[in-house]
Amino acid sequence: MAGVKFIEHNGTEHNVDGIIGESLMNIALANLVPGIDADCGGECSCATCHVLVDDAWAGKLPEITESESSMLDLNPDREVNSRLSCQIPFSEELDGITIQLPEFQY
Amino acid sequence: MSGIIIIGAGQAAGQAAASLRQEGYEGTITLIGDESFAPYQRPPLSKQYLSGELSIDRVYIRPAKFYEDRNIDLQSGVRVTSIDRQNKTISTDNGQTLAYQKLLICTGSRPRELNIPGSDLPGIHYLRRLDDVDRIRDDMASANSICIIGGGYIGLEVAAVAVTAGLSVNILEMESRILQRVTNEQMSAFYHRLHTDRGVNIHTSTACTGFKGDARVNSVLCQDQTIAADMVIVGIGILPNIELAQQAGLECDNGILVDDHCRTSDPDIFSAGDCTNHPNPILGRRLRLESVPNAMEQARTSAANMLGGDKTYAAVPWFWSDQYELKLQMVGFSSDGDTAVLRGDPEALQFATFYLKDGKVVAVDAVNSPKEFMVAKRLYGMQVNADSLADSAIDLKSLIS
C-alpha cells in the first residue's frame, strides 16, 4: 500500500502507512506529522486539523458536511481544496493520497 | 541517564511527550501515570464513550505502539510519590528513584467529592477516568433510574446519554439554575427546557442531603423528598491535583502557579493542564481551566520551553459540550460581558449568544452554530456593532475587518 503523503508547508515530506477506517487526522497524529494540532480529537469542533487535498483526489473524498464547511468558512486562508482531516477516513480508494499542510497552521 | 520526566499520562502529558519528539528532542522521556492506560481523550468519556458509540481504540490519542516506536518510556499504573528538587529526582510507589533534567507536572484534576450520609454506597459514581465510565456503563445496563447530582456539563451530558438510553433521569442542582457557574440565564433556561422536553426531571435549588440503600444505593435524599435511583452520578466540579507540587515546596494557589511559559517557581519544573493556575495575557488575569485545548497548548508550550525555547502561552479559552444532537461551542467567559446579543433562533435549536463588554466581543455560546463560534474566536476583543451581530441576514464575514 502506498499510504498517505503529508507535505509540510516547507516541503518536508512524510510518507506514512494508511490505516483503513482511521481518519487522516489520526494517521497524522500517530506519525508525528507536524502542523496538525487536532485539539478536539476529531469532533469537528476546533478546525486545527486543516489540510489541503491534492486536486487529483478531490473526487474520491467524502462530501463535505455543512458543519465542516462552516468551520472552514471564516478562515481567510481557506482554499477550494481545504478540508478538515478529522472528517476524512482513509480508505483503499485514497491509497497514495497527497495532503499539503497549510503554513498558517504551523 | 537523566532526561525529561513527565508526571501524569493524561492529555497534556501525552501531547508534551509527542511535542518533545516533534521538536527533535532525542533524550530520555519518561511518562508516569497512575491510570492503567496510555494517554486518552477525556471529553468523549461523558459523551460517545459512555453511549457506546466510540470504542476504547478510538478514545486513545495515539496507538500504544507510538510510545514504543518513539522511545517514550510510558509507565502506566505507577504513581509518583515525591519530588526531590535538591537532587532533581522523583520517587514512585513501585520503588524507583529517577533523575530528571527537566520535570513536567501534568497531574490534572479529580472530582470534588460529596461527603454526606450514604455517599460511600456502591452505585454512586464519579466521572473522570476511563474505568469510571466502564463501571457506569455496567451499572447503566441494568439500571432503570439514575440520579445526577450537579447540573453542570458533566451532569447534563450524562443525562442526555442516559435518557436517550431509556433510563428515568433526575438531576439535582443546588443553585437556582443549571449551568449557573458557566453561562447566563437565557442559556441555562434553554438547556433546562431542552432536557425537560426530552424527559429529564430537573430539580433546581435542591441540595442532596444523603443516600439510602442496603447493598447499594436505591434512593437519594434531598430536603423534602426522596428520589428513587438505581444509580447515582456525582458531578459537582473538580479540584486540581497540586499535592505533589505543594509537598515539593512549589508555589500553589488554586492550582500550581506557572508563568506564561508554563514554568513553576522552580526553573527546571514546568506544569501543564488542569492542575495549573496560569496568567492569560489576553484576558489580563490568572486562570485555572478545566479544558482540553488548554491542556494541549500548555503541553506544547512546556515542551518548547523545556528545550530552551521562548514560547508564550496566550490563547483565548474555548470549550465544547455535546448534548443530544446539539453541539455547544464556547469562546471566553460569558460572565465577562455586560451585554448579551442573540443571533439566530433558539426555537430552531440553532443560535449563538455573543457577550460584549464596552461593545467588544468577550465571549460566545454557540449552539449548532460553528460559524458563529469561529467568528467569535476571530472577533475576540474587537469592537462590533451589536445590531449587525444580532441580524442573521448580515453575513458574519462582513463583521471581520
Side-chain angles (χ1 to χ4, degrees):
Chain A
M1 234 176 26
V4 184
K5 178 186 285 192
F6 290 98
I7 306 177
E8 289 184 58
H9 70 96
N10 64 8
T12 308
E13 290 188 5
H14 301 258
N15 293 295
V16 306
D17 291 340
I19 305 164
I20 302 291
E22 204 60 79
S23 71
L24 296 183
M25 178 202 84
N26 274 331
I27 291 170
L29 285 185
N31 289 284
L32 272 192
V33 177
I36 292 194
D37 282 352
D39 279 349
C40 77
E43 287 233 350
C44 199
S45 283
C46 69
T48 61
C49 65
H50 194 141
V51 296
L52 307 172
V53 181
D54 192 77
D55 289 342
W57 301 88
K60 295 180 177 168
L61 299 179
E63 289 258 337
I64 191 159
T65 62
E66 202 186 314
S67 134
E68 181 186 347
S69 186
S70 299
M71 293 296 291
L72 288 166
D73 206 28
L74 286 153
N75 190 327
D77 297 311
R78 180 181 186 174
E79 306 277 352
V80 284
N81 58 345
S82 281
R83 292 297 299 260
L84 295 180
S85 55
C86 68
Q87 300 299 304
I88 307 174
F90 183 75
S91 61
E92 269 166 38
E93 264 208 321
L94 296 183
D95 194 22
I97 193 170
T98 300
I99 301 288
Q100 298 268 352
L101 300 167
E103 181 168 10
F104 68 83
Q105 206 166 255
Y106 180 68
Chain B
M1 197 190 74
S2 79
I4 293 175
I5 294 179
I6 302 175
I7 305 179
Q11 294 207 239
Q15 181 57 46
S19 292
L20 285 167
R21 287 289 182 246
Q22 210 158 44
E23 301 247 352
Y25 174 69
E26 288 175 354
T28 310
I29 301 176
T30 312
L31 204 56
I32 308 175
D34 61 0
E35 292 188 69
S36 42
F37 308 98
Y40 61 86
Q41 305 175 57
R42 273 185 219 285
L45 294 186
S46 51
K47 311 176 179 84
Q48 305 97 318
Y49 185 69
L50 177 63
S51 70
E53 215 176 298
L54 273 192
S55 65
I56 186 165
D57 296 340
R58 298 271 160 178
V59 176
Y60 287 119
I61 301 168
R62 293 180 171 83
K65 195 173 158 290
F66 169 85
Y67 303 92
E68 241 176 79
D69 289 352
R70 302 288 168 171
N71 198 18
I72 294 165
D73 179 16
L74 171 62
Q75 301 195 12
S76 300
V78 178
R79 177 184 287 273
V80 174
T81 50
S82 65
I83 301 167
D84 178 348
R85 290 166 54 200
Q86 216 78 55
N87 295 307
K88 293 179 72 170
T89 60
I90 57 119
S91 301
T92 67
D93 64 354
N94 62 355
Q96 304 174 81
T97 300
L98 302 169
Y100 64 83
Q101 278 170 342
K102 298 279 186 241
L103 180 67
L104 176 62
I105 304 177
C106 303
T107 41
S109 54
R110 62 179 180 275
R112 187 186 291 275
E113 288 183 11
L114 256 189
N115 286 308
I116 55 176
S119 57
D120 53 358
L121 278 169
I124 299 175
H125 302 272
Y126 293 87
L127 197 164
R128 176 72 191 168
R129 298 174 166 217
L130 195 57
D131 42 16
D132 292 333
V133 183
D134 289 338
R135 284 187 292 268
I136 292 170
R137 272 163 54 160
D138 283 351
D139 264 13
M140 266 175 73
S142 58
N144 294 312
S145 60
I146 184 169
C147 186
I148 296 164
I149 317 294
Y153 288 120
I154 288 284
L156 296 179
E157 288 178 354
V158 172
V161 173
V163 83
T164 304
L167 276 75
S168 143
V169 182
N170 281 285
I171 299 178
L172 306 187
E173 169 55 55
M174 253 168 66
E175 304 292 341
S176 60
R177 57 185 173 95
I178 56 169
L179 300 175
Q180 193 260 355
R181 191 168 65 102
V182 286
T183 193
N184 78 350
E185 278 178 38
Q186 287 73 29
M187 286 298 289
S188 291
F190 172 82
Y191 273 97
H192 189 113
R193 196 176 144 197
L194 173 76
H195 282 276
T196 306
D197 285 350
R198 307 286 167 118
V200 175
N201 301 302
I202 301 176
H203 312 260
T204 52
S205 304
T206 304
C208 173
T209 51
F211 302 97
K212 279 205 161 156
D214 300 318
R216 51 179 288 129
V217 69
N218 61 32
S219 56
V220 179
L221 310 176
C222 51
Q223 289 134 323
D224 52 352
Q225 55 177 327
T226 303
I227 294 171
D230 296 330
M231 62 185 293
V232 170
I233 309 281
V234 181
I236 53 169
I238 62 169
L239 297 170
N241 292 324
I242 60 171
E243 291 72 11
L244 206 54
Q246 230 164 10
Q247 283 154 20
L250 297 172
E251 285 175 26
C252 295
D253 177 15
N254 182 31
I256 300 168
L257 287 178
V258 294
D259 64 15
D260 61 4
H261 281 49
C262 296
R263 203 183 288 265
T264 68
S265 52
D266 181 325
D268 291 321
I269 304 181
F270 292 71
S271 185
D274 281 12
C275 60
T276 68
N277 179 325
H278 58 273
N280 186 305
I282 302 171
L283 272 66
R285 63 176 189 265
R286 280 191 163 270
L287 300 172
R288 179 175 64 76
L289 293 174
E290 302 159 12
S291 140
V292 166
N294 173 62
M296 303 286 272
E297 196 52 31
Q298 282 197 311
R300 293 182 195 110
T301 304
S302 303
N305 293 332
M306 283 192 290
L307 301 179
D310 180 21
K311 189 173 160 78
T312 301
Y313 175 52
V316 178
W318 65 273
F319 315 88
W320 79 94
S321 173
D322 297 336
Q323 296 163 50
Y324 309 105
E325 72 281 14
L326 272 65
K327 184 185 279 293
L328 169 63
Q329 293 167 292
M330 298 155 273
V331 177
F333 300 99
S334 52
S335 55
D336 286 347
D338 54 32
T339 311
V341 179
L342 178 69
R343 181 183 171 93
D345 180 11
E347 293 295 320
L349 307 184
Q350 188 170 37
F351 68 102
T353 307
F354 286 85
Y355 302 89
L356 311 182
K357 186 182 187 187
D358 302 327
K360 291 177 181 155
V361 175
V362 292
V364 76
D365 293 330
V367 176
N368 284 349
S369 300
K371 216 182 251 198
E372 277 71 9
F373 164 73
M374 293 300 280
V375 87
K377 276 185 155 182
R378 297 181 49 105
L379 284 178
Y380 188 90
M382 281 158 68
Q383 202 86 33
V384 291
N385 181 314
D387 294 336
S388 311
L389 207 51
D391 186 348
S392 300
I394 293 179
D395 188 355
L396 283 171
K397 273 186 193 165
S398 69
L399 299 175
I400 305 173
S401 45

